[in-house]
Amino acid sequence: MAGGWTLSMVWMSLPGETWVGGGARFVVMWLVMMVAMMLPSLLPMLARLRGDRLTALAGAGYFFVWALFGVAVYALGSAIARAELTWPAVARLAPLATGVALLAAGAVQLSAWKARQLAVCRACGAPATEAAAGTLLHGVRFGVNCSLCCLGLMAVLLVGGMMNVAVIAAVAVAVALERLGPRPALLAGAIGAVVMALGVVALARALGVAA
């Protein structure tokens, strides 16, 4: 692409594939990735439920939210990819935008808002009722809290490369540390500082190429 970077084909439809078909393929891939990344931090809540049925309902509600998140991500990512293919000037801005996105993601990690969302996620226990509808709704609510808490880290995943195993592993470790480790606010802040440092490096490289 213009600007010296490579466009990931994860955002593009395959030959003969519709936009909806490409989106469905992306969401399936996204869900598989989210299950692998989020299951460790979800297990403490699921362990408090009685019976496989309630566990399945809570998990289904939780990952339904992440599926909707994936739909939104694909809509945004594919629109940006098309703009980059259509207008070279937009493509040239991608390396610079990556640095800005990393700085913003790091700032989110360091914010009081992030600390509040993380506290809510870590405090989530079993639902107040063992009714099926209540358990499903509890999973949905936990999914919403979790997705909000992970906004900064998901931004790192998207700009760092969804097909990059090292990036996926790093984000998965960061999620697990925040949810399960001691002193979560300190861990989130340390992760944010690292992300912002990466953003500075990305910006410096982009400006160096532009110069």
Side-chain angles (χ1 to χ4, degrees), residues 30 33-34 36-41 66 69 102 105 109 114 146 149-179 191 194-195 198:
W30 174 265
M33 187 184 306
M34 290 304 107
M37 293 175 63
M38 302 299 172
L39 193 56
S41 58
W66 278 109
F69 196 111
L102 288 172
Q109 284 289 118
K114 164 72 180 190
C146 184
C149 183
C150 289
L151 281 179
L153 294 176
M154 290 301 104
V156 173
L157 176 66
L158 294 175
V159 302
M162 283 184 54
M163 305 305 290
N164 188 319
V165 176
V167 173
I168 295 171
V171 173
V173 169
V175 170
L177 285 174
E178 286 185 351
R179 305 301 172 74
I191 293 167
V194 171
V195 171
L198 292 174

Side-chain angles (χ1 to χ4, degrees), residues 115-193:
R116 289 194 298 271
Q117 296 300 324
L118 184 54
V120 171
C121 279
R122 288 177 62 102
C124 185
T129 174
E130 292 190 352
T135 301
L136 180 65
L137 183 59
H138 186 73
V140 169
R141 287 173 176 166
F142 189 37
V144 171
N145 291 337
C146 184
S147 58
L148 288 174
C149 183
C150 289
L151 281 179
L153 294 176
M154 290 301 104
V156 173
L157 176 66
L158 294 175
V159 302
M162 283 184 54
M163 305 305 290
N164 188 319
V165 176
V167 173
I168 295 171
V171 173
V173 169
V175 170
L177 285 174
E178 286 185 351
R179 305 301 172 74
L180 306 174
R183 305 185 70 180
L186 181 61
L187 286 170
I191 293 167

Side-chain angles (χ1 to χ4, degrees), residues 9-14 17-27 29-30 68-82 158 162:
M9 293 307 294
V10 73
W11 306 113
M12 308 306 297
S13 299
L14 297 175
E17 186 178 50
T18 64
W19 185 87
V20 173
R25 174 172 50 83
F26 176 89
V27 171
M29 180 188 70
W30 174 265
L68 293 180
F69 196 111
V71 171
V73 166
Y74 182 75
L76 177 62
S78 60
I80 293 173
R82 285 186 170 85
L158 294 175
M162 283 184 54

